[in-house]
Amino acid sequence: MSMSVSLKKATNKTNIKHNNRTMNDKDKERNSHIDESRSHENVYLVQKNLKEVYQEEFGEALENYNAKQKRNDRKIDNYYEHIQSSKKTSLQQELIIQVGDKEDFSSKADFDKANEILKEWYSDFEKRNPQLKIYNAVIHNDEASPHMHVNFVPVAEGYKRGLEKQVSFDKAITQQDLTLDKVRPFEHWREKEVQFLEKSLQERGIERKLVGTNDYKDVNEYKEKKDLEREIKQLEGDLSQRKTELKALTEKVSSEISVPVKKQMKSIEVPTGEKNLFGKEKMKTEKRPTGNVVLSEENYKKLVTAANQKEKLTHQIVKVLNTDFAKENKELKAENKVIFKEWKSTIEENSQLKDENNSLKQRVGSLTSEIENLYKHTKEYFKQRTGDFEAFRKVFGGWVNKIQEKLPTSHLKRVHDRSEAKENTFSMENVAELDKQVRSQKSAKRKNMDLER
């Protein structure tokens, strides 16, 4: 007996109501493949609220992030809604797992066996994948063949920008398994999970039937096959293009070049076969071809041009026919690898520079805060030890100017200028308050004058 194994990942097609069979009547009509009389046989393993999972996984990280933000417009009110509105990141991921196809399930015992395999695979899923947080899992037994839907949130950690914990599938699986292929992490991770299913089949005496991408026993074999397919496809495309070019060149090169010419003739004396009175052979003049031709200068130039073009096109055809497409493609691939390596190095260097820049920004912010606090406490110190306000301003201002002379780019001078401007400027609230007091005094004066009268 043999059964196939299928494990697919979906994101945008997730429908939790469909998975949990909480659809309305219209949805049920559209899903006529579901046998509702068997829906009670479905197995619901996990049913959590996705928003609550987000709060549980990212709540603390969100609080820490917002606490560090000095500007309110940089704070994130709700991480769930933040990801929901994102065009780059999906809120969650879904796996659809199946063993066998509809031809393999003719009895309840077949369904039970498949359920047993799926449950066994699922039981250790979170141990193998601690960073994939499951919020919904169900086995459907009311369709043609039993299969499982697993919905989860991939949680990656250690971010320096944004929240410390964020949603990212590739980063989550590569963090939990350092042996995964860095170029194709999902394909490698998927093949490992398929191997767990295959082991469950073998333990029950069932051979794995290879179909589709499962024809390859490991991810490396599958990758090599895909690379080879791409190379063959590229070579076929190149060959087709070259054939088209060859056809076009062949049509340009005609076998004969036609130009109007005249045969060159010359006059020669030939015997007539008769003799004259003196017994000598009589001769006559005839025109005979010399083997050469005569053509105009214009036609001669056309002929030379056509001959040169033919030679050039013939050379191009020979070059096309002698091209080693496989070797050329290999050289291009090697060149592409070098370029990709340089690009990757540039990206890594850029990322490092960004991290250093962020670190410097934080350091500058910290030093700026320290300078402002130093200014504040120094100002208070001078104020307490100077009786007269004008004397205080003169002494303190002189101190600031001396620092600026020694450190022209010092932030202290800018802090001092802002403070002075603030102290020398009446705010709108001050003006309004003074105006209110003047009006009140005038009103009281009028009342007193009225009473005296």
Side-chain angles (χ1 to χ4, degrees):
M1 183 180 179
S2 63
M3 297 176 77
S4 60
V5 174
S6 173
L7 191 153
K8 299 176 181 178
K9 180 165 73 76
T11 53
N12 298 328
K13 296 181 180 179
T14 293
N15 187 336
I16 292 298
K17 288 185 177 181
H18 170 88
N19 292 356
N20 292 338
R21 298 298 191 251
T22 55
M23 304 169 288
N24 56 35
D25 292 336
K26 284 187 178 180
D27 288 335
K28 288 178 180 179
E29 288 177 9
R30 284 195 290 265
N31 290 273
S32 56
H33 63 285
I34 296 174
D35 183 357
E36 291 188 58
S37 66
R38 289 164 44 210
S39 292
H40 66 281
E41 297 176 7
N42 293 341
V43 182
Y44 300 94
L45 301 165
V46 176
Q47 287 179 307
K48 294 180 182 179
N49 184 287
L50 181 55
K51 290 183 179 179
E52 291 177 0
V53 171
Y54 261 74
Q55 178 58 34
E56 181 181 337
E57 293 299 328
F58 304 106
E60 184 179 349
L62 180 62
E63 286 181 11
N64 293 338
Y65 169 78
N66 286 335
K68 295 176 182 177
Q69 304 309 309
K70 295 181 180 180
R71 287 170 48 182
N72 289 330
D73 61 328
R74 290 183 177 175
K75 292 182 179 180
I76 299 173
D77 295 328
N78 187 307
Y79 188 61
Y80 175 90
E81 294 176 357
H82 177 72
I83 297 299
Q84 190 177 38
S85 62
S86 170
K87 294 181 180 180
K88 295 182 179 179
T89 309
S90 298
L91 273 171
Q92 56 92 61
Q93 305 274 336
E94 178 174 357
L95 294 176
I96 304 172
I97 309 96
Q98 181 173 322
V99 288
D101 47 44
K102 59 183 180 180
E103 286 78 15
D104 296 320
F105 301 98
S106 56
S107 66
K108 189 177 184 303
D110 295 329
F111 272 78
D112 291 342
K113 188 177 292 182
N115 272 251
E116 189 179 302
I117 293 169
L118 291 172
K119 287 178 183 177
E120 185 175 289
W121 172 83
Y122 174 80
S123 64
D124 290 328
F125 180 85
E126 288 184 299
K127 289 182 181 178
R128 297 191 302 271
N129 302 282
Q131 291 182 234
L132 306 183
K133 309 299 181 179
I134 296 174
Y135 74 93
N136 207 87
V138 57
I139 299 175
H140 286 162
N141 289 308
D142 55 1
E143 297 182 40
S145 54
H147 57 275
M148 175 184 285
H149 293 263
V150 176
N151 296 84
F152 60 88
V153 178
V155 180
E157 301 174 344
Y159 285 90
K160 294 181 180 179
R161 297 184 64 185
L163 276 67
E164 183 191 1
K165 293 170 70 175
Q166 297 182 30
V167 177
S168 173
F169 180 77
D170 284 357
K171 192 163 186 177
I173 59 175
T174 52
Q175 283 182 346
Q176 69 184 20
D177 186 353
L178 301 177
T179 65
L180 289 182
D181 188 310
K182 297 298 184 292
V183 179
R184 298 182 180 87
F186 169 70
E187 286 83 355
H188 195 180
W189 173 85
R190 173 191 173 279
E191 188 57 41
K192 285 190 173 187
E193 290 298 325
V194 167
Q195 286 173 359
F196 284 106
L197 289 164
E198 183 179 6
K199 183 181 177 183
S200 294
L201 289 174
Q202 292 173 347
E203 288 173 352
R204 291 164 176 79
I206 304 171
E207 184 182 348
R208 176 184 169 192
K209 181 165 56 177
L210 300 175
V211 294
T213 55
N214 295 332
D215 289 337
Y216 309 94
K217 295 183 178 180
D218 61 58
V219 71
N220 293 321
E221 185 180 347
Y222 175 66
K223 281 159 49 183
E224 288 173 5
K225 184 260 182 185
K226 285 295 180 185
D227 288 340
L228 184 60
E229 282 181 350
R230 278 193 291 271
E231 186 173 343
I232 290 172
K233 190 175 181 180
Q234 185 177 346
L235 287 171
E236 287 175 346
D238 290 343
L239 183 60
S240 176
Q241 184 179 349
R242 299 291 178 151
K243 283 181 178 178
T244 304
E245 292 175 4
L246 181 60
K247 186 178 179 182
L249 291 173
T250 305
E251 289 173 355
K252 287 182 180 180
V253 181
S254 57
S255 58
E256 292 183 3
I257 301 171
S258 177
V259 292
V261 297
K262 292 180 180 180
K263 291 181 179 180
Q264 186 184 46
M265 309 293 288
K266 68 177 180 178
S267 299
I268 58 172
E269 296 287 327
V270 294
T272 62
E274 297 179 0
K275 293 183 179 180
N276 59 20
L277 294 174
F278 301 102
K280 289 185 177 181
E281 190 78 29
K282 289 183 177 181
M283 305 297 287
K284 65 179 180 179
T285 302
E286 290 183 357
K287 287 188 176 182
R288 293 188 179 182
T290 63
N292 298 325
V293 293
V294 178
L295 68 161
S296 67
E297 185 177 354
E298 182 182 354
N299 287 333
Y300 171 75
K301 288 179 179 179
K302 286 182 179 178
L303 185 63
V304 171
T305 301
N308 289 335
Q309 287 179 343
K310 182 176 181 180
E311 184 179 355
K312 185 178 179 180
L313 292 171
T314 303
H315 177 71
Q316 289 179 349
I317 291 172
V318 172
K319 185 179 179 181
V320 169
L321 292 173
N322 292 334
T323 299
D324 188 339
F325 296 117
K327 183 181 178 181
E328 188 177 280
N329 186 61
K330 191 174 182 180
E331 290 173 352
L332 288 171
K333 283 181 71 177
E335 185 180 343
N336 187 51
K337 282 183 179 179
V338 173
I339 294 171
F340 177 78
K341 189 176 180 181
E342 291 175 353
W343 172 80
K344 192 175 180 182
S345 176
T346 304
I347 292 295
E348 290 174 354
E349 185 179 347
N350 187 43
S351 177
Q352 185 178 353
L353 288 172
K354 282 183 178 179
D355 291 340
E356 291 176 1
N357 187 39
N358 289 331
S359 177
L360 287 171
K361 282 183 179 179
Q362 292 176 359
R363 179 61 179 157
V364 168
S366 177
L367 290 172
T368 301
S369 179
E370 287 179 15
I371 290 170
E372 290 174 355
N373 286 330
L374 175 65
Y375 174 85
K376 182 180 177 181
H377 289 101
T378 305
K379 188 174 182 180
E380 288 296 324
Y381 176 83
F382 275 98
K383 191 178 287 186
Q384 290 171 7
R385 284 159 179 75
T386 309
D388 181 68
F389 179 71
E390 288 301 323
F392 154 72
R393 293 189 66 178
K394 186 176 180 181
V395 172
F396 186 68
W399 175 75
V400 172
N401 290 332
K402 284 183 179 179
I403 290 178
Q404 188 185 15
E405 288 174 6
K406 293 181 179 180
L407 302 169
T409 59
S410 172
H411 181 66
L412 191 69
K413 175 61 176 172
R414 290 193 290 274
V415 176
H416 177 67
D417 290 342
R418 285 202 303 268
S419 178
E420 288 291 293
K422 188 175 180 182
E423 290 179 0
N424 293 333
T425 304
F426 277 106
S427 66
M428 291 302 294
E429 289 82 359
N430 295 138
V431 174
E433 183 63 29
L434 287 172
D435 184 60
K436 186 177 178 182
Q437 291 176 9
V438 170
R439 288 175 182 273
S440 178
Q441 289 173 2
K442 285 183 178 180
S443 177
K445 190 174 181 180
R446 287 195 197 99
K447 287 181 182 180
N448 291 333
M449 290 176 67
D450 290 340
L451 289 173
E452 288 177 358
R453 291 174 184 172

